[in-house]
Amino acid sequence: MAATGSTSGQPQFIASTGNRSFSNAPLIENSDIERIVVPDKRSWKNLFTYMGPGFLVSIAYIDPGNFETDLQAGAQYKYGLLWIILVASCAALIIQSLAANLGVVTGKHLAEHCRTEYPKVTNFILWVLAEIAIVACDIPEVIGTAFALNMLFSIPIWCGVLLTGLSTLILLALQQYGVRKLEFLIAFLVLTIAACFFAELGYAKPAATEVLNGLFVPNLKGNGATGLAISLLGAMVMPHNLFLHSALVLSRKIPQSVRGIKEACRFYLIESAFALMVAFLINVSVISVSGAVCNSSHLSAEDQKSCENLDLNKASFLLENVLGSWSSKLFAIALLASGQSSTITGTYAGQYVMQGFLDLRLQSWLRNLLTRSLAIVPSLIVALIGGSAGAGRLIIIASMILSFELPFALIPLLKFTSSKTKMGTHANSTLISVATWIIGSLIMTINIYYLMTGFIKFLLHSHLKLVDAVFLGIFGFSGMAVYLAGIIYLVFRKNKEATHLMALTTPESRQTTNESDSLPREDIVSMQLPQRRATIDLD
C-alpha cells in the first residue's frame, strides 16, 4: 500500500476522471494497518472473512427509532403492520447489496462518487441532506439511551439526554482497536438485543397464526395507519446506511479479478442477508410483544391508556405491569445496547459522508461531538418541555424525516450501480434495475402522497386566519415543488464521470495496475485515534 511506507508507489485511492481533485490521503493515517485479507482461492470459508459490515449496517434497522415505531404499530394495529417490516426488510437487503457492490467494484464509496459526479452546488446540497439525515438518526439514539437509563436507574429523561454525550468517550476507547474488533463488538450487541426480545416473546406468547397473517396479508386499516407505515419504512431504510455500507466493504483486501469481485459481491450479499434477517426477527418480536400485551383482555384501565400513546418509556412500565419486572429489565438492556451501538455506526457514517462529499477530514472525537451536540439540543428541549411523551413524538418525526430524505441517497446509488461507465460488467442486470427502481419509486410516491395530503389536512383544520393560511400554503407547496424538482433532477440527469474499475476485465488492463491500487482502504480499515499513528511520508 502506498501509504504504508513507500514514497514512490502509486496513489492508494483510485483517481476520479473528473476535473476535480480526489485526495489520496486517508482519513486517519496509520502505519500499522490491520489488513483483512481474503485468500485468493475458491472456498466457502472465505465467507467468514467477509462477515462484519452487515452487522454494523443492521444496527440501523434495530435502533431506538425502530423500537418506538414498532411499539406503536403493535399497540395500535396489533400484528396488522408486520407486512411492512417484511417488505421493508426485503427492499433493504436489495438496496444494501447494491451499496456493497458499488464499493467492491469501484473502490470508492457512495459519497465519493457523488463528489466526482455532481456539480459543486448539487454536491453541497446532497451533503447537507445527508448530514440532516445523520442528525435525525442520532435523535432516537439519544432519546432511546435516556429512556434506558431511566428504566434501569430511574434517571430523569433530560438528565439521561445529557449523559448520552458520554458515549463519545466509549467510542474513543473503541477506536484504538480497529474495525475488525468493532465488528465483533457490534455483532455481540446485535445478538444481545435479539436474545432479550426473543425472551420477551416467551413472556408475551403472541398467537402464531395471527402473527403469520399480519406478515403475509397486507392491509392499512384505521386512521393513521398510513402515517405509521411510513414511519416504519423510514425507520427501516435509512439514507446514511447506504453511505456507510459502501465504505465498510472497502476494509477487505479482495482478489483483484473478475472471479474475486463476483465472489466478494456474493459473500457480502449472504452476510448482509444473515444480519438483516436477525434485525427482521427482532422487529417482528417487538411488534408481536407490543401487539400481544396491548390487546390482552387482562389489561387494567391505566395500562390501556398507556397503550393508546405508547412510547419507549411507557413500554417499560407496561411490560413490568403485565409480564413482570424481568421483562422490563430485558427491554431496557436491549434499548441501551441498541442506542450505544447505533451511536458508533452513525458516527462513522458521518465521517465517511463528510470525507466523501467535501474531502474534509475531522478527528473522530470532534465529528462525534458535533453530531451528538446537534442531536442533544432538540432532544433536551423537547424532554424538558414535553417530557417522555414529547420525546417519543420527536422520534416519530425523526423517522419520517429519514423517509423523506431517502431518495437523495437512493437515486444516486441506483444510477451509479446501473451505469456501465461506473460498474462495467458488474452493473445491475435489467431485472435488478427494474426491481430497485420500482422499490425506489414506490417509496418516493408514498412519501410525496403523505406529505401533500398531510399538509392539506393541516391547512384545512388548523383554524388559521385566511392570510396566514394562504402564506403558509404558498410556502409549503413551494417547498414540495423544490423537493419534486430535486428528485426529478437526480432521476433524469445522465452520469458523466467514468470510474476506473477495481475489477479489470482483460489481462492487458490488469498489467497496468499493481498492488498499491487495490483494497483495502486505510481510512476504512484503521479507525484508530490520531495520537496512536506513526509519522508517515505520503508524498
Side-chain angles (χ1 to χ4, degrees):
M1 304 290 291
T4 59
S6 174
T7 59
S8 59
Q10 297 284 337
Q12 178 194 359
F13 292 171
I14 294 178
S16 164
T17 57
N19 55 8
R20 275 171 287 173
S21 63
F22 188 85
S23 175
N24 291 326
L27 266 72
I28 300 172
E29 302 154 10
N30 195 293
S31 59
D32 299 319
I33 300 303
E34 180 191 350
R35 293 161 63 92
I36 306 174
V37 181
V38 179
D40 190 7
K41 61 180 180 179
R42 292 178 180 271
S43 174
W44 63 269
K45 295 180 181 179
N46 289 349
L47 174 62
F48 296 103
T49 309
Y50 289 104
M51 294 292 287
F55 280 99
L56 271 75
V57 169
S58 71
I59 282 295
Y61 298 90
I62 49 175
D63 72 348
N66 287 84
F67 293 165
E68 175 87 13
T69 49
D70 288 348
L71 289 168
Q72 294 194 5
Q76 297 178 31
Y77 304 102
K78 204 173 183 180
Y79 315 122
L81 295 180
L82 281 175
W83 67 275
I84 292 289
I85 299 297
L86 178 60
V87 171
S89 296
C90 293
L93 176 58
I94 296 173
I95 292 170
Q96 293 295 162
S97 67
L98 297 185
N101 292 350
L102 181 68
V104 169
V105 174
T106 66
K108 294 195 294 184
H109 57 78
L110 180 57
E112 291 171 332
H113 279 287
C114 289
R115 177 158 60 92
T116 57
E117 175 65 33
Y118 295 116
K120 290 184 178 180
V121 174
T122 303
N123 182 72
F124 180 79
I125 293 173
L126 290 176
W127 169 70
V128 171
L129 291 174
E131 294 288 359
I132 292 173
I134 291 170
V135 172
C137 178
D138 207 40
I139 287 174
E141 295 157 11
V142 169
I143 296 174
T145 302
F147 279 146
L149 294 174
N150 176 261
M151 297 170 197
L152 292 171
F153 309 110
S154 301
I155 296 174
I157 300 298
W158 67 268
C159 187
V161 168
L162 292 176
L163 287 175
T164 56
L166 296 177
S167 62
T168 300
L169 301 179
I170 298 174
L171 176 61
L172 292 177
L174 291 172
Q175 282 180 311
Q176 60 183 313
Y177 299 109
V179 66
R180 196 56 168 165
K181 307 299 188 300
L182 182 66
E183 289 171 351
F184 283 122
L185 173 65
I186 294 297
F188 172 77
L189 292 175
V190 170
L191 295 177
T192 299
I193 297 168
C196 290
F197 280 111
F198 293 162
E200 295 280 10
L201 277 178
Y203 282 106
K205 296 180 175 63
T209 54
E210 294 183 36
V211 171
L212 291 175
N213 186 72
L215 272 173
F216 299 108
V217 180
N219 70 81
L220 285 174
K221 298 178 181 178
N223 294 329
T226 302
L228 194 52
I230 289 178
S231 295
L232 282 170
L233 192 63
M236 286 293 290
V237 186
M238 294 190 178
H240 78 280
N241 241 17
L242 306 182
F243 298 106
L244 178 65
H245 203 177
S246 63
L248 289 174
V249 298
L250 303 178
S251 61
R252 270 65 176 169
K253 178 176 174 56
I254 62 176
Q256 295 306 296
S257 64
V258 174
R259 180 191 61 79
I261 295 294
K262 288 183 177 180
E263 180 186 78
C265 293
R266 181 171 65 254
F267 281 148
Y268 275 129
L269 174 63
I270 294 172
E271 72 103 16
S272 296
F274 177 76
L276 292 181
M277 181 185 68
V278 175
F280 165 73
L281 294 175
I282 291 173
N283 281 289
V284 170
S285 299
V286 177
I287 293 180
S288 300
V289 169
S290 176
V293 170
C294 286
N295 290 276
S296 172
S297 57
H298 305 293
L299 285 182
S300 66
E302 182 181 354
D303 290 335
Q304 289 177 353
K305 187 175 181 181
S306 296
C307 285
E308 292 176 0
N309 189 22
L310 190 62
D311 61 24
L312 293 172
N313 205 36
K314 289 180 182 178
S316 171
F317 299 108
L318 178 66
L319 292 172
E320 183 174 357
N321 293 339
V322 179
L323 302 180
S325 59
W326 275 107
S327 178
S328 174
K329 298 302 181 185
L330 285 173
F331 178 75
I333 293 170
L335 188 59
L336 184 62
S338 172
Q340 292 305 297
S341 54
S342 298
T343 295
I344 296 170
T345 55
T347 298
Y348 286 124
Q351 186 78 323
Y352 299 139
V353 162
M354 182 171 288
Q355 174 263 332
F357 279 110
L358 303 183
D359 196 20
L360 178 63
R361 293 162 174 78
L362 293 180
Q363 293 183 4
S364 293
W365 69 266
L366 180 57
R367 169 73 219 188
N368 183 269
L369 179 63
L370 289 174
T371 303
R372 183 46 54 96
S373 298
L374 290 174
I376 284 178
V377 171
S379 301
L380 181 61
I381 293 173
V382 171
L384 288 172
I385 297 175
S388 61
R393 285 193 292 270
L394 184 60
I395 289 179
I396 298 294
I397 293 172
S399 297
M400 296 184 71
I401 290 173
L402 290 168
S403 184
F404 291 132
E405 292 196 2
L406 181 61
F408 298 99
L410 179 57
I411 292 174
L413 176 65
L414 298 182
K415 296 270 289 191
F416 296 158
T417 55
S418 299
S419 171
K420 290 188 180 296
T421 61
K422 292 186 178 296
M423 299 284 287
T425 59
H426 304 279
N428 295 339
S429 65
T430 302
L431 179 62
I432 294 297
S433 294
V434 170
T436 51
W437 277 106
I438 289 176
I439 292 170
S441 300
L442 181 62
I443 294 172
M444 289 182 282
T445 301
I446 292 174
N447 289 346
I448 294 168
Y449 170 79
Y450 185 78
L451 180 65
M452 294 185 68
T453 55
F455 185 68
I456 291 172
K457 288 179 181 178
F458 171 77
L459 289 178
L460 293 177
H461 302 289
S462 61
H463 305 291
L464 295 172
K465 294 181 180 179
L466 181 60
V467 176
D468 295 336
V470 170
F471 177 78
L472 187 60
I474 294 173
F475 180 79
F477 284 110
S478 298
M480 291 181 204
V482 173
Y483 179 79
L484 288 173
I487 292 175
I488 292 171
Y489 169 79
L490 292 177
V491 169
F492 291 102
R493 182 187 183 276
K494 292 184 178 181
N495 292 332
K496 296 181 179 179
E497 299 293 340
T499 300
H500 296 167
L501 301 181
M502 295 297 292
L504 301 171
T505 55
T506 65
E508 293 79 9
S509 61
R510 280 197 291 271
Q511 291 175 0
T512 64
T513 188
N514 56 36
E515 184 73 12
S516 64
D517 292 318
S518 61
L519 299 177
R521 286 269 298 272
E522 293 180 20
D523 51 345
I524 309 300
V525 177
S526 183
M527 297 183 180
Q528 298 183 348
L529 295 177
Q531 58 262 34
R532 288 176 59 88
R533 63 188 168 98
T535 303
I536 306 168
D537 184 7
L538 293 174
D539 297 326

